[in-house]
Amino acid sequence: KWVDEEWTVEDLKEKIEPYAEIWALLSERGLFLGYKGKALKVPASDAEIGGALARKHLRWHGYDLKQVFKALRIENPMVKWDGMLAAYVARPTNIGGFEDIFEQYCGRKLPEFCGPAEQFTAHQELEVILREKLVHQDGEGVFEKFDLPLVNVLAELERKGMRIDMEELKAQSKTLNDDIRRLETAIHKEAGEQ
């Protein structure tokens, strides 16, 4: 069971042990951290919170963690669980927000004004259900070997951006279109349609 608490940045620095497991929730209500049964609200900027946690090498759990890492500016985090990615591996489709996925897999809605402690409990409940689903579908290996390690890469790409050589992209696009037309013609000829 989770208990709501308010901590300072100094509390984060002093009380959160290196290599510990931590949960993160980022929503329109702000950032909340979950640590050893405590749902933490830290009245500080994302940069201050990130600075306090960045060198602790924490093992992160949450939903859409790349948004958390971008907000906190945490580089190379160790991702142990991301509910959004797990939901995607379980059923590759357009994945909505946590509330939608929770309702879809847990069969009920979150209370309208639930606090951080209730949200962390819901996240853990969803994790149990999605892990079972991944095991049942033989998707656990894909999730752990491919999806989780890519969270860091994607967060960095979104944070830093990437440069695209537009001339090269246009040339490759033209080559690809020419290849497609050539293949379509060959297919029609082979099928006796020309």
Side-chain angles (χ1 to χ4, degrees), residues 4-44:
D4 290 322
E5 288 190 11
E6 187 169 298
W7 281 15
T8 66
V9 171
E10 287 305 312
D11 289 330
L12 293 178
K13 291 177 183 176
E14 293 171 14
K15 296 179 181 180
I16 294 184
E17 301 165 8
Y19 304 101
E21 296 210 3
I22 192 163
W23 283 79
L25 300 176
L26 182 62
S27 70
E28 63 279 349
R29 292 192 221 171
L31 173 72
F32 297 93
L33 301 170
Y35 180 68
K36 293 188 174 182
K38 296 172 179 70
L40 307 173
K41 174 66 177 161
V42 182

Side-chain angles (χ1 to χ4, degrees), residues 38-54:
K38 296 172 179 70
L40 307 173
K41 174 66 177 161
V42 182
S45 71
D46 290 346
E48 291 172 304
I49 295 169
L53 300 176

Side-chain angles (χ1 to χ4, degrees), residues 47-63:
E48 291 172 304
I49 295 169
L53 300 176
R55 291 195 171 97
K56 291 190 176 273
H57 306 288
L58 300 170
R59 296 176 296 175
W60 293 86
H61 296 251
Y63 189 90

Side-chain angles (χ1 to χ4, degrees), residues 113-133:
F113 296 108
C114 68
E118 292 172 291
Q119 287 186 29
F120 282 121
T121 299
H123 277 266
Q124 286 181 315
E125 183 180 343
L126 180 63
E127 179 180 355
V128 169
I129 291 169
L130 285 174
R131 280 195 187 277
E132 288 173 0
K133 191 154 187 69

Side-chain angles (χ1 to χ4, degrees), residues 37-115:
K38 296 172 179 70
L40 307 173
K41 174 66 177 161
V42 182
S45 71
D46 290 346
E48 291 172 304
I49 295 169
L53 300 176
R55 291 195 171 97
K56 291 190 176 273
H57 306 288
L58 300 170
R59 296 176 296 175
W60 293 86
H61 296 251
Y63 189 90
D64 196 7
L65 283 173
K66 73 181 163 87
Q67 299 305 325
V68 172
F69 301 146
K70 284 181 1 185
L72 297 180
R73 296 189 178 131
I74 292 182
E75 296 180 12
N76 301 315
M78 184 187 312
V79 180
K80 296 300 285 182
W81 175 258
D82 190 314
M84 186 176 86
L85 288 177
Y88 183 80
V89 172
R91 185 168 178 234
T93 185
N94 189 15
I95 301 298
F98 173 76
E99 292 81 8
D100 297 333
I101 297 302
F102 180 81
E103 183 178 357
Q104 178 183 345
Y105 286 97
C106 297
R108 65 182 192 285
K109 288 183 179 250
L110 281 174
E112 191 171 338
F113 296 108
C114 68

Side-chain angles (χ1 to χ4, degrees), residues 153-168:
V153 174
L154 296 173
E156 279 299 298
L157 279 174
E158 288 183 18
R159 191 173 70 77
K160 291 181 178 178
M162 57 190 221
R163 186 171 296 185
I164 297 175
D165 182 339
M166 292 305 292
E167 292 305 314
E168 178 63 25

